[in-house]
Amino acid sequence: MIHHWFPAHMLYFDAGNYAVLLFFTLSGFLITGILVRARCETERSEGAKRRQVFKAFYARRALRIFPVYYAAVVILLAFDVGSARSVSLPLVTYTHNLWVGWNHWTPPYGHFWTLAVEEQFYLFWPLVVLLLPRRLAVWIAFTAVAATPFLRGLAGMNGAAVASVLTTSNLAPLAGGSALALLGRDSALGKRLTNLAAGLGALVYVPLTLTLVFLTVESPGPNGRFFNETIYGFRQLSVSAIAVWLVAAAGRGAPGITGRVLQWPPLVYCGTISYGLYIYHSFAPPVWSHAALFLGLPEIVSTNDWVRWPFLLLLTFFTSAMSWHCFERPINKYKHRYPYVPDSVAAGTIVERPRAGSEIPVP
């Protein structure tokens, strides 16, 4: 919200991009954790099938993500907000990041590129977690993290916009969070690696930033753009490493005042309605501008960043809260119809075939 509502004041602090990296890290961690637990349940339960996990995962993701997103897209298309009809196919197919990269930013729905990256990540990562040995999945995650700066550099040969929005350019936070879930945030190895990663990330962040400020090529050709974006990729990697450490620390429970702040009910409620906050916040400025004009309010109320932000905040939170209670939560209740392990299997007694000389069922 800060990044999108105060663009003129964000020259020296790229708040939005840092938030995206933290979001991707958290998402990779949570999604992979769900898949790992589901796989463990199927391996312990006779009769449970991995195809059931795939079905449940995609059904539950669809119930959580699709309704609100497509409701917003329908409204965009119906009123052709921001010429949305010209990009209807990318919006509907979750490829809006590709459109943004090869064309131009599309306010007020340009932020949907991050959701497109998420959905594209969901297409292949469950296959890795559910079908491959965990150790191999960990190495794939580490390889994706290490390769991200170079993948971003290659994409950057087509322009900086392309480099920043492709899924391959954002694998470091997604795969970093996923590796944390695969290793276990509470495992000794997981703790050592996250502490090491955060230390290295903090150590190299400033030198990389200074490199971007002073040493990047001013008018680069393809090779210069590759260099620039690779350096950006390494800085992104350093921030992602710190984000992994933050997610691990928060998952274990932050002590003292930090923990009390994170458990503060209003802040927890922000987490509850966070998907709506993400979807709706960029629509608040144009909606408020029209409302202020309709109400005959002074122009400064709708145009000045510092004057309008309380109204934008109130409008976004009210809309997100109503969306959660009246739309999202009722739909989420249908998730129970898609368990990762069928109730009949999870609740039943697992009986192995009796070995010779034994007729005792194994619980």
Side-chain angles (χ1 to χ4, degrees):
M1 292 181 187
I2 292 172
H3 186 86
H4 289 149
W5 292 351
F6 295 85
H9 309 284
M10 290 292 104
L11 296 177
Y12 302 107
F13 182 63
D14 204 3
N17 286 331
Y18 295 150
V20 166
L21 294 176
L22 181 59
F23 162 65
F24 283 154
T25 303
L26 180 61
S27 180
F29 173 72
L30 294 175
I31 292 303
T32 303
I34 290 172
L35 293 169
V36 168
R37 288 190 296 274
R39 176 170 177 167
C40 289
E41 288 183 23
T42 60
E43 290 173 348
R44 288 195 302 263
S45 304
E46 186 178 295
K49 304 295 184 182
R50 288 185 187 176
R51 64 172 176 268
Q52 170 69 21
V53 177
F54 281 108
K55 175 183 176 182
F57 173 78
Y58 287 114
R60 293 165 75 95
R61 287 291 87 201
L63 286 170
R64 183 67 189 103
I65 294 174
F66 285 3
V68 175
Y69 174 75
Y70 280 116
V73 169
V74 166
I75 294 173
L76 288 171
L77 297 178
F79 294 96
D80 199 23
V81 179
S83 301
R85 292 173 188 169
S86 65
V87 292
S88 57
L89 184 61
L91 285 172
V92 170
T93 59
Y94 283 102
T95 55
H96 191 55
N97 60 325
L98 305 181
W99 171 270
V100 169
W102 268 278
N103 292 277
H104 55 81
W105 183 256
T106 53
Y109 50 87
H111 63 298
F112 286 164
W113 76 266
T114 56
L115 194 56
V117 168
E118 283 277 305
E119 291 299 292
Q120 291 161 25
F121 181 70
Y122 291 161
L123 288 178
F124 73 90
W125 188 245
L127 299 173
V128 173
V129 178
L130 295 175
L131 298 181
L132 299 180
R134 183 182 293 196
R135 180 173 296 183
L136 180 56
V138 170
W139 280 112
I140 290 174
F142 284 154
T143 301
V145 170
T148 299
F150 304 102
L151 293 173
R152 176 166 181 149
L154 290 172
M157 296 174 74
N158 295 298
V162 176
S164 62
V165 299
L166 293 187
T167 301
T168 52
S169 300
N170 291 279
L171 287 178
L174 288 164
S178 300
L180 176 64
L182 288 165
L183 291 170
R185 69 178 182 221
D186 297 318
S187 68
L189 179 59
K191 290 179 181 179
R192 286 198 299 269
L193 288 177
T194 52
N195 290 337
L196 176 63
L200 290 174
L203 186 66
V204 302
Y205 174 78
V206 172
L208 287 172
T209 301
L210 292 176
T211 301
L212 289 170
V213 172
F214 295 111
L215 299 180
T216 50
V217 180
E218 291 296 327
S219 301
N223 292 335
R225 289 196 295 267
F226 175 83
F227 173 78
N228 287 1
E229 293 304 326
T230 300
I231 298 299
Y232 268 109
F234 276 109
R235 188 179 73 158
Q236 179 191 52
L237 184 57
S238 70
V239 176
S240 300
I242 298 170
V244 169
W245 178 83
L246 287 171
V247 169
R252 289 191 291 266
I257 189 171
T258 303
R260 290 195 292 273
V261 169
L262 291 175
Q263 295 175 38
W264 186 43
L267 195 57
V268 173
Y269 185 72
C270 287
T272 301
I273 64 171
S274 60
Y275 185 42
L277 296 175
Y278 162 82
I279 291 288
Y280 303 123
H281 78 276
S282 276
F283 302 120
V287 169
W288 175 244
S289 295
H290 284 86
L293 181 64
F294 177 78
L295 295 172
L297 299 177
E299 185 178 355
I300 191 173
V301 175
S302 61
T303 58
N304 185 279
D305 290 341
W306 299 102
V307 175
R308 69 176 184 167
W309 77 263
F311 302 100
L312 301 182
L313 200 65
L314 196 63
L315 178 61
T316 302
F317 269 84
F318 176 79
T319 304
S320 301
M322 292 299 99
S323 174
W324 168 251
H325 291 286
C326 301
F327 187 43
E328 297 170 61
R329 187 167 67 172
I331 294 174
N332 270 355
K333 292 179 179 178
Y334 288 98
K335 283 184 177 181
H336 75 276
R337 296 187 178 184
Y338 302 96
Y340 288 104
V341 176
D343 294 339
S344 58
V345 174
T349 300
I350 301 173
V351 181
E352 293 182 348
R353 290 187 177 182
R355 297 181 294 272
S358 170
E359 300 201 18
I360 302 174
V362 180

